[in-house]
Amino acid sequence: MRKLIRGGTVVTASETYQADVLIEADKVVAIGEQLEASGAEVIDAGGCYVFPGGIDPHTHLDMPFGGTVTADDFASGTRAAAFGGTTSIIDFCLSNKGQSLREAIAIWHEKARGKAVIDYGFHLMIAEANDQVLEELAHVVAEEGIVSLKVFMAYKNVLQADDETLFKTLVRARELGALVQVHAENGDVIDYLTKRALAEGKTDPIYHALTRPPEAEGEATGRAAALTALADSQLYVVHVSCAQAVRQIAEAREKGWQVYGETCPQYLVLDISYLEQPDFAGAKYVWSPPLREKWHQDVLWNALCNGILQTVGSDQCSFNFKGQKELGRGDFTKIPNGGPLIEDRFGVVYSEGVHKGRISLNQFVDVIATKAAKLFGMFPRKGTIAVGSDADLVIFDPGATRILSAATHHMNVDYNPFEGMKVHGQVVSVLLRGEFVIRDKQFVGRPGFGQFIRRTPFRRP
């Protein structure tokens, strides 16, 4: 059925204007004033912004970690994402040494099959870079449509890869047109600091942050950038949390290196003091990299505003406080790392960014959707509002206010890290490929409607 979104203000990464948007099947087919509504369902967007659907480039759904599994799977996680204005995610597919890449990918397809209510793609973790893996990557990129590869520089003896693995992955990525991502923290230094803290009886959640200092993130970011330049390749630094890492990315970009960066809403509005909450409540805020001192927030906002950082991902990785985070009582290293963030990414960045004047409306769209679509091979199908693009649209009321809370969120977890925060603006309706997933703030989607996104290889701007 044709749909006509009438009377809204269309916002893309480059333009803001009053227009109607006509949808046929799953595509936008016309944009203009007073479009003919014959045979179309008319949707009133008066007083609202019409945004392209958000793209969350960093999620962990149904993921094993630290002897447990994330509380949100592809059903609950994508449903919560839709409530928050996100219509596409890219989730991380883990692999193990000795495992074929295709086997790892098949496991993640099974996790999502029949559950996702919005569209999704995968990043692929590279645990080792032997001849078999490097050869198999050609199939992964060309046939699977997975064009982004993740290398961990932290979590020693669990996920961490060595510099040889990172460098070989960068070289192969240059050949195939893949974008290499790094979790940039110096895992060897963190391992030493962690063992020393435990030996000294320092076991509370705050020591998770104190043993992962910003210098360790900055060093790893700079090292990864230098290896990228040496390989003449391309790099995307995930969840940038501090000034030290921003500085390394800025210097790399000034030299013309293909280095990009992502931050997350938690680093933009929360700080290290949250880990000091009494009665072990600080465990709710344990993720990696950790929260930093408050002054880093201005650095991150400025980096988004001036283009040093390109995207905002959620790093969704939810664990319940009761029964999961509590596994680390008496030993902060056993607290499952991660938080429930997929639903509030869009709203927090709008409220704290646009409403408070830190970024413009167009910059908001760019960091919440468009840049991710471009970097990860989905543009212009996704990430913008244009004739021929997927009809992934968000109708957003900028005049509404609401309070974020675990009592009202849709994630399958017993706390909200932004509990009690007042935000300006609210998602009213969300369409995915022309079909309502959220309508008038009510879920009307269906599990399995979300499609796997086969993405195109990385192209240097």
Side-chain angles (χ1 to χ4, degrees):
M1 183 177 181
R2 302 171 82 216
K3 295 182 177 70
L4 181 66
I5 299 176
R6 171 153 284 171
T9 299
V10 173
V11 187
T12 69
S14 58
E15 296 179 289
T16 305
Y17 55 94
Q18 295 288 127
D20 300 339
V21 180
L22 182 63
I23 301 165
E24 286 188 6
D26 59 351
K27 302 292 183 185
V28 173
V29 296
I31 304 170
E33 296 182 359
Q34 298 300 312
L35 294 180
E36 171 58 47
S38 177
E41 176 188 3
V42 178
I43 301 152
D44 181 14
C48 292
Y49 292 128
V50 181
F51 292 131
I55 297 173
D56 189 340
H58 191 156
T59 69
H60 302 279
L61 301 177
D62 196 2
M63 189 192 81
F65 186 93
T68 187
V69 179
T70 55
D72 282 293
D73 63 6
F74 276 84
S76 65
T78 58
R79 184 174 182 268
F83 269 104
T86 293
T87 54
S88 300
I89 63 168
I90 313 179
D91 200 75
F92 283 91
C93 168
L94 301 185
S95 64
N96 299 308
K97 291 182 178 180
Q99 179 186 41
S100 77
L101 300 182
R102 274 175 273 198
E103 181 183 349
I105 293 166
I107 291 170
W108 246 255
H109 274 300
E110 191 58 33
K111 288 175 183 286
R113 186 172 291 113
K115 293 182 178 179
V117 306
I118 60 174
D119 288 352
Y120 59 94
F122 297 145
H123 308 296
L124 178 61
M125 172 193 163
I126 302 300
E128 57 185 341
N130 58 34
D131 291 344
Q132 177 185 334
V133 167
L134 295 175
E135 180 62 31
E136 198 175 0
L137 281 175
H139 169 85
V140 169
V141 172
E143 303 301 326
E144 300 278 356
I146 297 174
V147 296
S148 41
L149 312 172
K150 172 74 171 290
V151 178
F152 283 89
M153 302 174 76
Y155 300 113
K156 188 172 183 178
N157 301 320
V158 181
L159 297 171
Q160 183 177 331
D162 58 21
D163 286 350
E164 181 182 358
T165 297
L166 174 56
F167 187 70
K168 285 182 175 179
T169 302
L170 285 163
V171 170
R172 188 63 168 142
R174 180 197 66 213
E175 297 167 349
L176 297 175
L179 180 57
V180 177
Q181 302 168 291
V182 286
H183 175 134
E185 291 183 287
N186 188 314
D188 293 325
V189 170
I190 290 168
D191 184 64
Y192 169 80
L193 294 175
T194 298
K195 289 176 179 176
R196 188 176 69 179
L198 292 177
E200 294 172 353
K202 298 172 179 177
T203 62
D204 292 337
I206 185 62
Y207 291 103
H208 172 77
L210 298 179
T211 57
R212 305 181 86 100
E215 290 79 8
E217 183 180 346
E219 184 280 329
T221 302
R223 179 160 37 103
L227 292 175
T228 300
L230 186 61
D232 188 25
S233 192
Q234 46 275 343
L235 182 77
Y236 178 97
V237 184
V238 302
H239 51 42
V240 173
S241 74
C242 63
Q244 288 85 341
V246 168
R247 188 178 306 118
Q248 295 290 343
I249 294 170
E251 290 177 2
R253 292 178 62 79
E254 286 172 3
K255 294 173 182 176
W257 300 352
Q258 299 294 312
V259 177
Y260 308 90
E262 159 202 288
T263 191
C264 307
Q266 54 271 34
Y267 303 120
L268 294 169
V269 300
L270 305 177
D271 63 72
I272 192 171
S273 67
Y274 284 80
L275 282 91
E276 298 180 289
Q277 291 184 1
D279 300 323
F280 197 65
K284 297 175 181 178
Y285 301 91
V286 167
W287 42 67
S288 299
L291 293 174
R292 306 301 187 185
E293 293 180 2
K294 192 173 181 63
W295 65 268
H296 290 272
Q297 294 172 10
D298 286 340
V299 176
L300 295 172
W301 279 114
N302 289 335
L304 285 174
C305 186
N306 63 28
I308 294 172
L309 298 178
Q310 289 71 41
T311 66
V312 179
S314 68
D315 196 8
Q316 162 76 16
C317 191
S318 60
F319 299 97
N320 283 299
F321 178 66
K322 293 187 180 300
Q324 290 189 301
K325 291 285 189 179
E326 288 180 327
L327 293 171
R329 282 190 183 273
D331 183 347
F332 69 88
T333 67
K334 295 180 180 177
I335 301 169
N337 281 211
L341 300 148
I342 198 169
E343 184 169 351
D344 296 318
R345 178 189 72 109
F346 193 103
V348 167
V349 175
Y350 176 86
S351 185
E352 294 292 311
V354 178
H355 181 76
K356 292 191 175 181
R358 293 180 170 115
I359 57 174
S360 71
L361 261 179
N362 306 110
Q363 288 174 321
F364 167 74
V365 171
D366 204 26
V367 302
I368 216 74
T370 308
K371 273 296 195 308
K374 290 180 176 180
L375 287 169
F376 294 110
M378 296 181 282
F379 188 85
R381 175 185 169 190
K382 296 186 180 294
T384 193
I385 302 174
V387 173
S389 295
D390 282 2
D392 299 351
L393 303 168
V394 176
I395 300 173
F396 186 87
D397 179 2
T401 60
R402 59 196 179 95
I403 303 297
L404 302 184
S405 175
T408 53
H409 74 204
H410 302 88
M411 295 173 286
N412 185 35
V413 69
D414 60 6
Y415 77 98
N416 188 304
F418 306 114
E419 186 71 36
M421 180 184 293
K422 181 180 180 180
V423 294
H424 292 262
Q426 184 168 18
V427 171
V428 177
S429 296
V430 176
L431 294 96
L432 172 67
R433 289 180 276 108
E435 298 294 329
F436 280 105
V437 181
I438 306 295
R439 183 161 195 169
D440 297 327
K441 305 173 191 175
Q442 301 298 313
F443 179 71
V444 295
R446 64 181 188 275
F449 182 64
Q451 294 179 353
F452 178 71
I453 307 166
R454 295 184 183 276
R455 298 176 285 126
T456 57
F458 177 84
R459 292 181 176 85
R460 296 189 178 190

